[in-house]
Amino acid sequence: MEETLRNLLEEAKRELETVDSIKSLEELRVKYLGKKGELTKILRGMGNLSPEERPVVGKISNEVRAEIESLLAAKRDEILKVEKEEKIRSEYIDITLPGKVHEIGHKHPMTKVLDEIKDIFLGLGFSIAEGPEIELDYYNFEALNTPPDHPARDLQDTFYITKNILLRTQTSPVQVRTMEKNKPPIKVISPGRVYRSDETDATHSPVFNQIEGLAVDEGITMGDLKGVLNLFAKRLFGSDTKTKFRPHYFPFTEPSAEMDVSCFACGGKGCRVCGYSGWIEILGSGMVHPNVLRMSGIDPEKYSGFAFGMGLDRITMLSYGIDDLRLLYENDLRFIKQF
Amino acid sequence: MLVSYSWLKDYVDVLVDAKKLADDLTMSGSKVETIKSYGNEIKNVVIGKIISIEKHPDADKLQVGIVDVGEEKLQIITGAQNIKVGDYIPVALHGSTLPGGVKIKRGKLRGLESNGMMCSAKELGLDESLLPDYQRNGIFILPELPIGEDIKKVLELDDVIEFEITPNRPDCLSVVGIARETAATYRKSYRMPEIKIYEVADKNPANVTIDADDLCYRYVARVIRNAKIGPSPIWMQMRLLKAGIRPINNIVDVTNYVMMELGQPLHAFDLDKVKNRHIIVRRAKNGEKLVTLDDKERILDSEMLVIADEEKAIGLAGVMGGQNTEITDDTVNILIESANFKGSNIRYTSKKLGLRSEASSRFEKGLDPEITVMACNRAAQLMAELSGGEILNGIVDVYPKPIEEKVLSVRHKKINKLLGTNLTIGEMKNILTFLDFGVICDGENLVVKVPAFRSDIEGEADIAEEIGRMYGYNNIEDTLLKGTQITAGVKTREQKLEDLVKEVFLSCGLNEIITTSFMGMKDLDKINLPDDSPLRKAVKIMNPLGEDQGYMRTTLLPSMLNVVYTNYSRKVSDLKAFEISRVFIPKSLPLEELPVEVKTTVIGMYGHDVDFLTLKGVIEVLLDVLNVNNVKYVRSENTLYHPGRSADIIVDGECIGVFGEINPDIEENYDINREVYVAELNLELLFKHAKDDERKYKLLPKYPAVERDIAVLVDKNTFVADIESIIRETGGKLVDDVKLFDVYTGENIPEDKKSVAYSIWYRSYERTLTDEEVNKVHDKIIRKLNEKLGAQLR
């Protein structure tokens, strides 16, 4: 009997060698250890044994059962491991296949640049103001120190609706509207569409976009104007950017200045983008003219301020190397999707 | 304003090169556009005199010239035909270079040696269009000049600097004006031209009457007698050429030369053609005619100022002279006009007649009346010198209301405060003095006498600019609003919501477009807009660029459809786009007050995955993100849309927009052979209904939901929205969610019916629902669907 048990174990071991799936492993378990299995069959013959032999055989049979169980368990782990490995191997895919995309839309490049500019000025404490595009002559010119006979009116070809109503030629009227409505400290930028009767070509459009800025408070100096705009330029064009302020003329600022930035394409060495000068003209600025403050109900003796204005279309073109303004208004999606 | 550097050096001593000068003047306020270097590439080109010309024996079109170039006589072959023996010409010698890097070498032309080249003006880099015919067609024929002399020297081929002069500084539209700026920039002095007049004893016979002293502030005149008209000397011609002015004759050239030199436009009349030698400055009569110097007949109006004699107009004041008194080769006696006119009136005349001249572009900015006498004398001096004429005794000067000297008192402290500088009162005085201001220090103030040519200076801020620019803007220390109050940079609710709308659209795959704000009435016809539509009441532009851009748009739809068409015609396979912009709705027409500008958005789509529901999905996400509730979609009656595939968006009973397929007729109008889906939403109304700040946390459910599916047969044209609302109404609070998961027509379904299937989730937030409770509500829903819609359970 003892011999039979030992043989059973050996046979089980042998058979286990050939098992390669959980299913056949289970069959094997039933075959040897099941209720009607080989071991039970053998143990049924225990009744024929002497009382001395019984505990010995009982012990051996327990040992054999334990051994088979442990072998089965080990085999099971082995098979599971192999199966898992096989499963994973079978799950390999071509990771260079294109992704499943929910296509999202693209912002217009001008909006991207505008958003950046807005962020910079919001961070500097400037709010965003808006004003009408169809504007009174008063706000577009007169309140900006540009009375009807003023030669500066010639610089801008204006679209008129009536004698007193026009399409604003600049975002500067928002300055006046803001000052009329608010008391200093005032810090705003005002992006928006402006209109001038220029025929459309690679650098002109009758409709384009400007961003106006205004700061009015006690004690604002031209140094502040320079500091703020210099910081702005570094944020927008990169921290290596240098700025240069050139005297200029605007009717509604005095002193007035144009700001050039070092060319961000060549770093100031001179290239096609900057016309080989190393500098790019970016914006007009100046200290708000006392007449403008006065007309807007702000006492120029107590307060001072600076204002600036820049062309969004131009800055967008420069930023992305776009060489034809018409692309911005044509809206070919193959263009828009590049940004 | 083109300024020859050599000419500038007549009035100010500067040593730097033109590039450095340009940079420095740009930084002190006179912006330089370009520098044109005339002579820098020219080498070894000299004056030659033609001694003989013969035909080339072997070439019909060539001539063989012998040219005296001083040290030798050279045989030079040329193709030019405009030369004759005795002509003085520029000769490029063997080994010379010309503009553009052209090198001239000795060579043979059809067997004969050519020892250089006779040059045209163009070959010397000059603008031929300003030259008379005899100098233009072929070799540049010169007056008598020292033979063998370097061409660069005799023609003063130097650097010409182009300045962009701002309209507030007409005083800088002159070489002397630029000299003054140059001097101040380098803290040097400058000098005015030396003017010496030798009058003969005979009295000036002309007299002047100003009949319109509101338009003519001053009229100064002199008379030159016995002038001999001829070309002006080459140095003067060259200076005019470099300034972009056509040389004409020694009289006209002087008027232009002095204008360039001093900034005062002048005019010369043939005095013998002026009736009774009496100049009358008066308004033109309506319809009065004048042939100007450019041979064009001008029809005048009573707003325009003319120079007239007792019979007729003889000049258009400040703009152009009249042909009837033009200086001709036979002119002997000349009247020099040096006048001052009202700028805005000159601008009016010039604009109205479409006639701009060097004179009008200066006058219209408002000139200094004080310079008229000096300019008149300078012209008289030069005319007498160049034409051999005599200056008659006496200057006419009619100056009804002499301008008053402007004196400003400005505060030293305030100027520093405005600039952010720490300049001493002495430094300020120094700068202003170099700019010709008279300055007296009065304690903490500067009392500043403004020179007459600086009409732009009105107050303290202007003085601050003068000091600032000469001190150097870039020497002012950068500061960051250090003395001011801190402000918060914020966006308004509407601005934030607009950003949100953009974000939603972008994440839904729509691309942002930007179009211009104009439209034409044809655009509205193209979208089949009914004749009585209020959108046809649009703001009209008085001076549009074209009919198609004649109005301010009242709808964004045509712009979107144009973009759709652009992309469609360029074979862009799919398009999803939106624009946010304003439409302009007048309160009344013609406009008496500003119109209402309404922020609006338009969506446009076509493509393989685009249908009504694609677009509706975008709208639903938008309304969800903006927390817009009580939304109903009602079949739209808008005729611009497909009647069966469009809906109005109704929120709280108010229509905030419309969307759907554009009417196929319009697709045809645009030649688009696809279904185009568009949406138009009024953003102001949308924002009104957005409960963006009213979101509150709702308890998460603790008890499980029971899901029941239901499939019913209903009439084919039943709205599923009606089914859903019956389910919700009937189920009340117990219905936690309802989802449509199938709509089916076809096999096994009667033709006029459709099968609609929903999942309904029942849930209580207080307890676990029993089957019994759920069954009761579910049965009730089935009953109600049957009662109200005749729905049959499948």
Side-chain angles (χ1 to χ4, degrees), chain A residues 102 105-106 111 130 134 149 154 160 193 224 226 256 301, chain B residues 347 411 418 465 476 479 506-507 511-512 515 542 597 599:
Chain A
H102 161 71
H106 295 254
T111 306
E130 289 169 83
I134 299 183
D149 279 343
D154 272 8
Y160 281 94
R193 289 179 181 224
D224 292 330
K226 286 183 60 206
S256 304
E301 276 302 301
Chain B
R347 185 163 59 244
R411 294 159 292 179
L418 193 65
E465 177 170 87
I476 298 174
T479 47
L506 292 167
S507 53
N511 296 285
E512 187 189 17
T515 60
M542 273 165 69
E597 302 187 4
K599 279 250 174 88

PDB file of all heavy atoms in Angstrom, chain A residues 102 105-106 111 130 134 149 154 160 193 224 226 256 301, chain B residues 347 411 418 465 476 479 506-507 511-512 515 542 597 599:
ATOM      1  N   HIS A 102      -9.898  63.654 -30.921  1.00  0.00           N
ATOM      2  CA  HIS A 102     -11.042  64.535 -31.022  1.00  0.00           C
ATOM      3  C   HIS A 102     -10.435  65.878 -31.381  1.00  0.00           C
ATOM      4  O   HIS A 102      -9.775  66.510 -30.564  1.00  0.00           O
ATOM      5  CB  HIS A 102     -11.788  64.628 -29.699  1.00  0.00           C
ATOM      6  CG  HIS A 102     -12.672  65.842 -29.631  1.00  0.00           C
ATOM      7  ND1 HIS A 102     -13.817  65.949 -30.374  1.00  0.00           N
ATOM      8  CD2 HIS A 102     -12.551  66.999 -28.958  1.00  0.00           C
ATOM      9  CE1 HIS A 102     -14.362  67.129 -30.147  1.00  0.00           C
ATOM     10  NE2 HIS A 102     -13.609  67.785 -29.303  1.00  0.00           N
ATOM     11  N   GLY A 105     -10.369  72.970 -31.962  1.00  0.00           N
ATOM     12  CA  GLY A 105     -10.216  74.086 -32.884  1.00  0.00           C
ATOM     13  C   GLY A 105      -8.978  74.908 -32.574  1.00  0.00           C
ATOM     14  O   GLY A 105      -8.346  74.741 -31.535  1.00  0.00           O
ATOM     15  N   HIS A 106      -8.652  75.775 -33.513  1.00  0.00           N
ATOM     16  CA  HIS A 106      -7.481  76.637 -33.345  1.00  0.00           C
ATOM     17  C   HIS A 106      -7.924  78.089 -33.244  1.00  0.00           C
ATOM     18  O   HIS A 106      -8.801  78.517 -33.979  1.00  0.00           O
ATOM     19  CB  HIS A 106      -6.527  76.471 -34.529  1.00  0.00           C
ATOM     20  CG  HIS A 106      -5.941  75.097 -34.597  1.00  0.00           C
ATOM     21  ND1 HIS A 106      -4.645  74.824 -34.246  1.00  0.00           N
ATOM     22  CD2 HIS A 106      -6.498  73.908 -34.939  1.00  0.00           C
ATOM     23  CE1 HIS A 106      -4.415  73.530 -34.378  1.00  0.00           C
ATOM     24  NE2 HIS A 106      -5.519  72.951 -34.805  1.00  0.00           N
ATOM     25  N   THR A 111      -5.708  86.379 -32.192  1.00  0.00           N
ATOM     26  CA  THR A 111      -6.257  86.164 -30.850  1.00  0.00           C
ATOM     27  C   THR A 111      -5.184  85.591 -29.933  1.00  0.00           C
ATOM     28  O   THR A 111      -5.099  85.946 -28.762  1.00  0.00           O
ATOM     29  CB  THR A 111      -7.455  85.208 -30.923  1.00  0.00           C
ATOM     30  OG1 THR A 111      -8.377  85.724 -31.859  1.00  0.00           O
ATOM     31  CG2 THR A 111      -8.129  85.064 -29.571  1.00  0.00           C
ATOM     32  N   GLU A 130     -13.584  98.528 -23.341  1.00  0.00           N
ATOM     33  CA  GLU A 130     -14.036  98.451 -24.727  1.00  0.00           C
ATOM     34  C   GLU A 130     -14.814  99.715 -25.084  1.00  0.00           C
ATOM     35  O   GLU A 130     -15.330 100.389 -24.207  1.00  0.00           O
ATOM     36  CB  GLU A 130     -14.926  97.215 -24.926  1.00  0.00           C
ATOM     37  CG  GLU A 130     -14.142  95.912 -24.861  1.00  0.00           C
ATOM     38  CD  GLU A 130     -15.028  94.686 -24.796  1.00  0.00           C
ATOM     39  OE1 GLU A 130     -15.473  94.234 -25.847  1.00  0.00           O
ATOM     40  OE2 GLU A 130     -15.277  94.202 -23.677  1.00  0.00           O
ATOM     41  N   ILE A 134     -18.161 102.368 -34.197  1.00  0.00           N
ATOM     42  CA  ILE A 134     -18.732 103.535 -34.868  1.00  0.00           C
ATOM     43  C   ILE A 134     -18.754 104.623 -33.799  1.00  0.00           C
ATOM     44  O   ILE A 134     -19.396 104.470 -32.765  1.00  0.00           O
ATOM     45  CB  ILE A 134     -20.136 103.232 -35.427  1.00  0.00           C
ATOM     46  CG1 ILE A 134     -20.041 102.099 -36.454  1.00  0.00           C
ATOM     47  CG2 ILE A 134     -20.745 104.489 -36.051  1.00  0.00           C
ATOM     48  CD1 ILE A 134     -21.346 101.749 -37.140  1.00  0.00           C
ATOM     49  N   ASP A 149      -9.415 121.405 -37.992  1.00  0.00           N
ATOM     50  CA  ASP A 149      -8.423 121.882 -38.960  1.00  0.00           C
ATOM     51  C   ASP A 149      -7.040 121.293 -38.744  1.00  0.00           C
ATOM     52  O   ASP A 149      -6.080 121.668 -39.393  1.00  0.00           O
ATOM     53  CB  ASP A 149      -8.308 123.411 -38.883  1.00  0.00           C
ATOM     54  CG  ASP A 149      -9.434 124.051 -39.669  1.00  0.00           C
ATOM     55  OD1 ASP A 149     -10.045 123.331 -40.484  1.00  0.00           O
ATOM     56  OD2 ASP A 149      -9.694 125.245 -39.462  1.00  0.00           O
ATOM     57  N   ASP A 154      -4.953 114.561 -41.500  1.00  0.00           N
ATOM     58  CA  ASP A 154      -4.580 114.092 -42.834  1.00  0.00           C
ATOM     59  C   ASP A 154      -3.842 112.779 -42.810  1.00  0.00           C
ATOM     60  O   ASP A 154      -3.775 112.075 -43.804  1.00  0.00           O
ATOM     61  CB  ASP A 154      -3.667 115.131 -43.501  1.00  0.00           C
ATOM     62  CG  ASP A 154      -4.493 116.165 -44.223  1.00  0.00           C
ATOM     63  OD1 ASP A 154      -5.721 116.125 -44.050  1.00  0.00           O
ATOM     64  OD2 ASP A 154      -3.911 116.979 -44.931  1.00  0.00           O
ATOM     65  N   TYR A 160     -16.297 108.099 -43.084  1.00  0.00           N
ATOM     66  CA  TYR A 160     -17.343 108.842 -42.390  1.00  0.00           C
ATOM     67  C   TYR A 160     -18.716 108.212 -42.597  1.00  0.00           C
ATOM     68  O   TYR A 160     -19.001 107.644 -43.657  1.00  0.00           O
ATOM     69  CB  TYR A 160     -17.373 110.292 -42.867  1.00  0.00           C
ATOM     70  CG  TYR A 160     -16.288 111.125 -42.218  1.00  0.00           C
ATOM     71  CD1 TYR A 160     -15.061 111.300 -42.837  1.00  0.00           C
ATOM     72  CD2 TYR A 160     -16.498 111.699 -40.967  1.00  0.00           C
ATOM     73  CE1 TYR A 160     -14.052 112.040 -42.227  1.00  0.00           C
ATOM     74  CE2 TYR A 160     -15.499 112.442 -40.350  1.00  0.00           C
ATOM     75  CZ  TYR A 160     -14.282 112.610 -40.986  1.00  0.00           C
ATOM     76  OH  TYR A 160     -13.302 113.330 -40.365  1.00  0.00           O
ATOM     77  N   ARG A 193     -11.142  96.747 -33.093  1.00  0.00           N
ATOM     78  CA  ARG A 193     -11.023  97.006 -34.522  1.00  0.00           C
ATOM     79  C   ARG A 193     -10.974  98.493 -34.798  1.00  0.00           C
ATOM     80  O   ARG A 193     -11.674  99.265 -34.147  1.00  0.00           O
ATOM     81  CB  ARG A 193     -12.257  96.471 -35.260  1.00  0.00           C
ATOM     82  CG  ARG A 193     -12.301  94.989 -35.301  1.00  0.00           C
ATOM     83  CD  ARG A 193     -13.545  94.531 -36.029  1.00  0.00           C
ATOM     84  NE  ARG A 193     -13.531  93.081 -35.999  1.00  0.00           N
ATOM     85  CZ  ARG A 193     -13.805  92.304 -37.037  1.00  0.00           C
ATOM     86  NH1 ARG A 193     -14.207  92.823 -38.165  1.00  0.00           N
ATOM     87  NH2 ARG A 193     -13.729  91.008 -36.934  1.00  0.00           N
ATOM     88  N   ASP A 224       8.083 105.865 -16.035  1.00  0.00           N
ATOM     89  CA  ASP A 224       7.109 104.787 -15.838  1.00  0.00           C
ATOM     90  C   ASP A 224       6.649 104.231 -17.176  1.00  0.00           C
ATOM     91  O   ASP A 224       6.514 103.023 -17.351  1.00  0.00           O
ATOM     92  CB  ASP A 224       5.895 105.293 -15.055  1.00  0.00           C
ATOM     93  CG  ASP A 224       6.247 105.649 -13.616  1.00  0.00           C
ATOM     94  OD1 ASP A 224       7.173 105.022 -13.074  1.00  0.00           O
ATOM     95  OD2 ASP A 224       5.592 106.542 -13.044  1.00  0.00           O
ATOM     96  N   LYS A 226       8.288 104.203 -19.909  1.00  0.00           N
ATOM     97  CA  LYS A 226       9.384 103.399 -20.467  1.00  0.00           C
ATOM     98  C   LYS A 226       9.510 102.073 -19.727  1.00  0.00           C
ATOM     99  O   LYS A 226       9.678 101.021 -20.348  1.00  0.00           O
ATOM    100  CB  LYS A 226      10.706 104.165 -20.355  1.00  0.00           C
ATOM    101  CG  LYS A 226      10.826 105.310 -21.350  1.00  0.00           C
ATOM    102  CD  LYS A 226      12.193 105.972 -21.228  1.00  0.00           C
ATOM    103  CE  LYS A 226      13.304 104.993 -21.503  1.00  0.00           C
ATOM    104  NZ  LYS A 226      14.570 105.348 -20.849  1.00  0.00           N
ATOM    105  N   SER A 256       5.891 112.690 -26.812  1.00  0.00           N
ATOM    106  CA  SER A 256       5.485 111.481 -27.514  1.00  0.00           C
ATOM    107  C   SER A 256       6.716 110.679 -27.923  1.00  0.00           C
ATOM    108  O   SER A 256       7.782 111.257 -28.146  1.00  0.00           O
ATOM    109  CB  SER A 256       4.699 111.832 -28.773  1.00  0.00           C
ATOM    110  OG  SER A 256       3.597 112.641 -28.467  1.00  0.00           O
ATOM    111  N   GLU A 301      -3.066 119.221 -13.362  1.00  0.00           N
ATOM    112  CA  GLU A 301      -2.146 119.686 -12.324  1.00  0.00           C
ATOM    113  C   GLU A 301      -1.923 118.587 -11.288  1.00  0.00           C
ATOM    114  O   GLU A 301      -0.859 118.462 -10.708  1.00  0.00           O
ATOM    115  CB  GLU A 301      -2.712 120.938 -11.637  1.00  0.00           C
ATOM    116  CG  GLU A 301      -2.408 122.213 -12.373  1.00  0.00           C
ATOM    117  CD  GLU A 301      -0.894 122.434 -12.549  1.00  0.00           C
ATOM    118  OE1 GLU A 301      -0.188 122.494 -11.525  1.00  0.00           O
ATOM    119  OE2 GLU A 301      -0.428 122.523 -13.700  1.00  0.00           O
TER     120      GLU A 301
ATOM    121  N   ARG B 347      -5.083 123.466 -47.310  1.00  0.00           N
ATOM    122  CA  ARG B 347      -5.355 122.032 -47.331  1.00  0.00           C
ATOM    123  C   ARG B 347      -6.686 121.752 -48.031  1.00  0.00           C
ATOM    124  O   ARG B 347      -6.825 120.839 -48.831  1.00  0.00           O
ATOM    125  CB  ARG B 347      -5.371 121.459 -45.915  1.00  0.00           C
ATOM    126  CG  ARG B 347      -5.545 119.943 -45.924  1.00  0.00           C
ATOM    127  CD  ARG B 347      -5.172 119.287 -44.607  1.00  0.00           C
ATOM    128  NE  ARG B 347      -5.948 119.768 -43.507  1.00  0.00           N
ATOM    129  CZ  ARG B 347      -5.457 120.437 -42.472  1.00  0.00           C
ATOM    130  NH1 ARG B 347      -4.189 120.679 -42.405  1.00  0.00           N
ATOM    131  NH2 ARG B 347      -6.250 120.841 -41.506  1.00  0.00           N
ATOM    132  N   ARG B 411       7.509 125.298 -15.082  1.00  0.00           N
ATOM    133  CA  ARG B 411       8.082 124.961 -13.789  1.00  0.00           C
ATOM    134  C   ARG B 411       9.133 123.861 -13.925  1.00  0.00           C
ATOM    135  O   ARG B 411       8.870 122.785 -14.444  1.00  0.00           O
ATOM    136  CB  ARG B 411       6.976 124.517 -12.826  1.00  0.00           C
ATOM    137  CG  ARG B 411       6.031 125.653 -12.490  1.00  0.00           C
ATOM    138  CD  ARG B 411       4.705 125.143 -11.988  1.00  0.00           C
ATOM    139  NE  ARG B 411       3.956 124.458 -13.030  1.00  0.00           N
ATOM    140  CZ  ARG B 411       2.760 123.903 -12.835  1.00  0.00           C
ATOM    141  NH1 ARG B 411       2.197 123.953 -11.643  1.00  0.00           N
ATOM    142  NH2 ARG B 411       2.149 123.296 -13.827  1.00  0.00           N
ATOM    143  N   LEU B 418       7.276 115.202 -14.737  1.00  0.00           N
ATOM    144  CA  LEU B 418       6.626 114.587 -15.893  1.00  0.00           C
ATOM    145  C   LEU B 418       7.567 113.611 -16.587  1.00  0.00           C
ATOM    146  O   LEU B 418       7.176 112.535 -17.027  1.00  0.00           O
ATOM    147  CB  LEU B 418       6.185 115.685 -16.864  1.00  0.00           C
ATOM    148  CG  LEU B 418       5.229 115.252 -17.973  1.00  0.00           C
ATOM    149  CD1 LEU B 418       3.894 114.813 -17.380  1.00  0.00           C
ATOM    150  CD2 LEU B 418       5.007 116.385 -18.959  1.00  0.00           C
ATOM    151  N   GLU B 465       8.845 118.032 -23.657  1.00  0.00           N
ATOM    152  CA  GLU B 465       9.267 117.164 -24.762  1.00  0.00           C
ATOM    153  C   GLU B 465      10.577 117.650 -25.369  1.00  0.00           C
ATOM    154  O   GLU B 465      11.474 116.856 -25.668  1.00  0.00           O
ATOM    155  CB  GLU B 465       8.194 117.100 -25.846  1.00  0.00           C
ATOM    156  CG  GLU B 465       8.646 116.265 -27.035  1.00  0.00           C
ATOM    157  CD  GLU B 465       7.542 115.982 -28.028  1.00  0.00           C
ATOM    158  OE1 GLU B 465       7.320 116.815 -28.924  1.00  0.00           O
ATOM    159  OE2 GLU B 465       6.892 114.934 -27.896  1.00  0.00           O
ATOM    160  N   ILE B 476      16.486 108.534 -19.777  1.00  0.00           N
ATOM    161  CA  ILE B 476      15.538 108.595 -18.661  1.00  0.00           C
ATOM    162  C   ILE B 476      15.467 107.206 -18.024  1.00  0.00           C
ATOM    163  O   ILE B 476      15.345 106.197 -18.720  1.00  0.00           O
ATOM    164  CB  ILE B 476      14.138 109.023 -19.153  1.00  0.00           C
ATOM    165  CG1 ILE B 476      14.197 110.429 -19.757  1.00  0.00           C
ATOM    166  CG2 ILE B 476      13.119 108.959 -18.022  1.00  0.00           C
ATOM    167  CD1 ILE B 476      12.905 110.881 -20.410  1.00  0.00           C
ATOM    168  N   THR B 479      11.202 103.140 -14.779  1.00  0.00           N
ATOM    169  CA  THR B 479      10.608 102.861 -13.469  1.00  0.00           C
ATOM    170  C   THR B 479       9.293 102.126 -13.700  1.00  0.00           C
ATOM    171  O   THR B 479       8.748 102.164 -14.805  1.00  0.00           O
ATOM    172  CB  THR B 479      10.322 104.165 -12.700  1.00  0.00           C
ATOM    173  OG1 THR B 479       9.669 105.088 -13.586  1.00  0.00           O
ATOM    174  CG2 THR B 479      11.605 104.779 -12.173  1.00  0.00           C
ATOM    175  N   LEU B 506     -13.684  76.144 -29.309  1.00  0.00           N
ATOM    176  CA  LEU B 506     -12.397  75.548 -29.679  1.00  0.00           C
ATOM    177  C   LEU B 506     -12.365  74.075 -29.275  1.00  0.00           C
ATOM    178  O   LEU B 506     -11.934  73.220 -30.032  1.00  0.00           O
ATOM    179  CB  LEU B 506     -11.247  76.309 -29.006  1.00  0.00           C
ATOM    180  CG  LEU B 506     -11.013  77.741 -29.498  1.00  0.00           C
ATOM    181  CD1 LEU B 506     -10.074  78.475 -28.550  1.00  0.00           C
ATOM    182  CD2 LEU B 506     -10.421  77.742 -30.906  1.00  0.00           C
ATOM    183  N   SER B 507     -12.876  73.786 -28.051  1.00  0.00           N
ATOM    184  CA  SER B 507     -12.812  72.393 -27.620  1.00  0.00           C
ATOM    185  C   SER B 507     -13.812  71.534 -28.381  1.00  0.00           C
ATOM    186  O   SER B 507     -13.677  70.322 -28.434  1.00  0.00           O
ATOM    187  CB  SER B 507     -12.995  72.279 -26.108  1.00  0.00           C
ATOM    188  OG  SER B 507     -14.153  72.941 -25.725  1.00  0.00           O
ATOM    189  N   ASN B 511     -12.774  76.279 -35.423  1.00  0.00           N
ATOM    190  CA  ASN B 511     -11.623  77.161 -35.585  1.00  0.00           C
ATOM    191  C   ASN B 511     -12.077  78.610 -35.647  1.00  0.00           C
ATOM    192  O   ASN B 511     -13.116  78.913 -36.235  1.00  0.00           O
ATOM    193  CB  ASN B 511     -10.867  76.808 -36.864  1.00  0.00           C
ATOM    194  CG  ASN B 511     -10.288  75.417 -36.783  1.00  0.00           C
ATOM    195  OD1 ASN B 511      -9.303  75.191 -36.102  1.00  0.00           O
ATOM    196  ND2 ASN B 511     -10.936  74.472 -37.448  1.00  0.00           N
ATOM    197  N   GLU B 512     -11.264  79.478 -35.076  1.00  0.00           N
ATOM    198  CA  GLU B 512     -11.670  80.880 -35.025  1.00  0.00           C
ATOM    199  C   GLU B 512     -11.293  81.618 -36.310  1.00  0.00           C
ATOM    200  O   GLU B 512     -10.161  81.508 -36.782  1.00  0.00           O
ATOM    201  CB  GLU B 512     -11.000  81.582 -33.848  1.00  0.00           C
ATOM    202  CG  GLU B 512     -11.530  82.986 -33.659  1.00  0.00           C
ATOM    203  CD  GLU B 512     -10.738  83.794 -32.644  1.00  0.00           C
ATOM    204  OE1 GLU B 512      -9.608  83.397 -32.314  1.00  0.00           O
ATOM    205  OE2 GLU B 512     -11.246  84.822 -32.200  1.00  0.00           O
ATOM    206  N   THR B 515     -13.119  88.197 -39.807  1.00  0.00           N
ATOM    207  CA  THR B 515     -13.425  88.818 -41.103  1.00  0.00           C
ATOM    208  C   THR B 515     -13.651  90.312 -40.883  1.00  0.00           C
ATOM    209  O   THR B 515     -13.782  90.758 -39.750  1.00  0.00           O
ATOM    210  CB  THR B 515     -14.686  88.198 -41.727  1.00  0.00           C
ATOM    211  OG1 THR B 515     -15.798  88.408 -40.849  1.00  0.00           O
ATOM    212  CG2 THR B 515     -14.518  86.701 -41.942  1.00  0.00           C
ATOM    213  N   MET B 542     -20.166 106.898 -45.899  1.00  0.00           N
ATOM    214  CA  MET B 542     -20.223 107.975 -46.898  1.00  0.00           C
ATOM    215  C   MET B 542     -19.183 107.790 -47.994  1.00  0.00           C
ATOM    216  O   MET B 542     -19.437 108.052 -49.154  1.00  0.00           O
ATOM    217  CB  MET B 542     -19.979 109.334 -46.220  1.00  0.00           C
ATOM    218  CG  MET B 542     -21.221 109.994 -45.659  1.00  0.00           C
ATOM    219  SD  MET B 542     -20.791 111.338 -44.517  1.00  0.00           S
ATOM    220  CE  MET B 542     -20.090 112.531 -45.630  1.00  0.00           C
ATOM    221  N   GLU B 597     -24.085  98.346 -30.969  1.00  0.00           N
ATOM    222  CA  GLU B 597     -23.113  97.363 -31.455  1.00  0.00           C
ATOM    223  C   GLU B 597     -23.296  96.097 -30.640  1.00  0.00           C
ATOM    224  O   GLU B 597     -23.073  96.087 -29.446  1.00  0.00           O
ATOM    225  CB  GLU B 597     -21.692  97.922 -31.321  1.00  0.00           C
ATOM    226  CG  GLU B 597     -21.522  99.231 -32.091  1.00  0.00           C
ATOM    227  CD  GLU B 597     -20.092  99.749 -32.147  1.00  0.00           C
ATOM    228  OE1 GLU B 597     -19.181  99.057 -31.655  1.00  0.00           O
ATOM    229  OE2 GLU B 597     -19.898 100.859 -32.700  1.00  0.00           O
ATOM    230  N   LYS B 599     -22.527  92.238 -29.756  1.00  0.00           N
ATOM    231  CA  LYS B 599     -21.592  91.102 -29.880  1.00  0.00           C
ATOM    232  C   LYS B 599     -22.372  89.874 -30.305  1.00  0.00           C
ATOM    233  O   LYS B 599     -23.367  89.509 -29.687  1.00  0.00           O
ATOM    234  CB  LYS B 599     -20.927  90.826 -28.531  1.00  0.00           C
ATOM    235  CG  LYS B 599     -19.781  91.731 -28.237  1.00  0.00           C
ATOM    236  CD  LYS B 599     -18.448  90.977 -28.276  1.00  0.00           C
ATOM    237  CE  LYS B 599     -17.301  91.934 -28.125  1.00  0.00           C
ATOM    238  NZ  LYS B 599     -16.942  92.172 -26.730  1.00  0.00           N
TER     239      LYS B 599
END
